[in-house]
Amino acid sequence: MSDHIYKKIEIVGSSPKGIEDAVNNAISRAGKTIRNMNWFEVIEVRGHLENNKVGHWQVTVKVGFTLDNGQD
């Protein structure tokens, strides 16, 4: 069994629908360019106001993924 090495990145997702949708948007987009994603952690939640109402939810998410082992 080989050792696994992990990396974490921080991304921000947004959605007018809610926090969960903002997380899903961030994870979905990251998945288009990052392989081997394993977990996520919501580290910040904030929002954008429009006319004294929530216009968009914004979430900062750390995503962890396994690095390739460098062998073909």
Side-chain angles (χ1 to χ4, degrees):
M1 182 173 166
S2 63
D3 293 330
H4 291 127
I5 305 300
Y6 301 93
K7 181 173 179 82
K8 291 193 295 186
I9 61 167
E10 195 171 288
I11 57 178
V12 178
S14 66
S15 172
K17 297 178 183 175
I19 296 169
E20 185 175 349
D21 201 50
V23 170
N24 285 324
N25 287 343
I27 299 294
S28 176
R29 177 59 183 88
K32 292 181 180 181
T33 57
I34 299 169
R35 295 186 308 273
N36 307 320
M37 292 191 301
N38 293 309
W39 53 269
F40 73 93
E41 169 185 1
V42 175
I43 59 171
E44 184 178 27
V45 177
R46 62 183 176 271
H48 172 75
L49 297 172
E50 296 174 358
N51 298 319
N52 299 322
K53 294 182 181 179
V54 175
H56 277 83
W57 289 94
Q58 301 167 332
V59 294
T60 303
V61 179
K62 285 187 181 179
V63 178
F65 58 96
T66 308
L67 294 177
D68 291 338
N69 64 12
Q71 299 175 355
D72 294 326

